[in-house]
Amino acid sequence: MQYNVFGVGNALVDIQAQVSDATLEKLGYAKGIMTLVDEEAQQKVLGELDGAPISQCAGGSAANTILGIADFGGKAAYAGKVASDMLGEFDLADMRKLGVTIEVPPASEGHTGTCVVLITDDAQRTMLTNLGVSATLSVDDLNEEHIKQSEYVYVEGYLFTGETQKQAAYRAIELAKKHDVKVAFTVSDPFLINLFREEFQQLIEGPVDLLFCNLEEARSLTGKQDAVDCAQVIHKHVPNLALTLGPDGSILMHEGRVIPIEGVETDAIDTTGAGDMYAAGILYGITNGLTWHQAGHLASHAAARIVSQLGARLQRPFTKDEIQELLS
């Protein structure tokens, strides 16, 4: 196989900024959740950040995971739409320098999507997302040959918020199944379950081979409270499950077995991308000869490392020796 994973998602440039609670209050957004905003509102927010410490990188949920896989040394491709503007050029260059294959032609009009991540002192992240042209990703942007040459197709739930992206998501899954490629799906956000419960349920009971979700999402999907109960209910429908529990680690379900994965103690300063990096560890692991338990162990350490820094990209990627040490 040419690729371990082919990702499909909203291509965004992540702009992270550390802000005070007072600034967040002034902007008027609810702490800790993701809000979709228009371009005008996004520019207003950026104007308020003058002087705040800022970093930017190629982002979007599935892109973060794909970049994480590349960082581990895996082989990855990605489908996401950017514009022919400075941020679009930055996004493509940022992904390609890590070796990610991305061949979707940029949109000739419109602007590249952005996700402004406002990080407060309590490590909460408040995300303001302007999708820009990422919302125009369509079935025509998918490379069937790349999907065919992948072990997994990885689809983010955020794609379901727009009709053309949703069709692209369904088409990617369809092409994966046509070529015997496994499908991984991340629920992405609890609010999406309320909007697309029936569609997500059909995916979980149908083509999805590996589901990623957190405890809040699992509770919403199953109506259960206990993490193991949630995991077992979901595992009746999906062959493999990765259920994250924040600092308490995670639960993997594989071949009917509950595989508990320990949490890794760390000082969290920014939880942005924790779930995305966890997914990267699992997907890299199971496509590169690791057992499910080893993949979970790597994923747990990767998530801990990402929350101990600013931003969704590892400032200090794992070396081959570090990975070997973790697995021993």
Side-chain angles (χ1 to χ4, degrees), residues 14 46 172 186 196 200 227 231 248-249 282 298 304:
D14 280 348
L46 289 169
T186 174
F196 308 109
F200 283 7
D248 296 325
I282 297 290
L298 175 62

Side-chain angles (χ1 to χ4, degrees), residues 102-138:
I102 173 166
E103 293 183 358
V104 179
S108 54
E109 293 178 359
H111 56 270
T112 298
T114 52
C115 179
V116 174
V117 186
L118 304 173
I119 305 148
T120 39
D121 289 341
D122 54 5
Q124 284 271 12
R125 75 242 163 90
T126 303
M127 296 192 288
L128 308 175
T129 303
N130 174 241
L131 292 173
V133 300
S134 72
T136 66
L137 181 75
S138 73

Side-chain angles (χ1 to χ4, degrees), residues 1 3 38 42 76 80 115 156 228 265 267 304:
M1 287 292 183
Y3 303 109
D38 61 22
Q42 194 76 303
C115 179
E156 66 174 65
V228 174
E265 209 168 296
D267 289 326

Side-chain angles (χ1 to χ4, degrees), residues 8 10 61-62 154-162 169 185-189 192 196 200 203:
V8 189
N10 286 321
S61 176
Y154 179 67
V155 175
E156 66 174 65
Y158 287 126
L159 290 172
F160 282 72
T161 58
F185 179 67
T186 174
V187 175
S188 293
D189 200 294
L192 293 172
F196 308 109
F200 283 7
L203 287 174

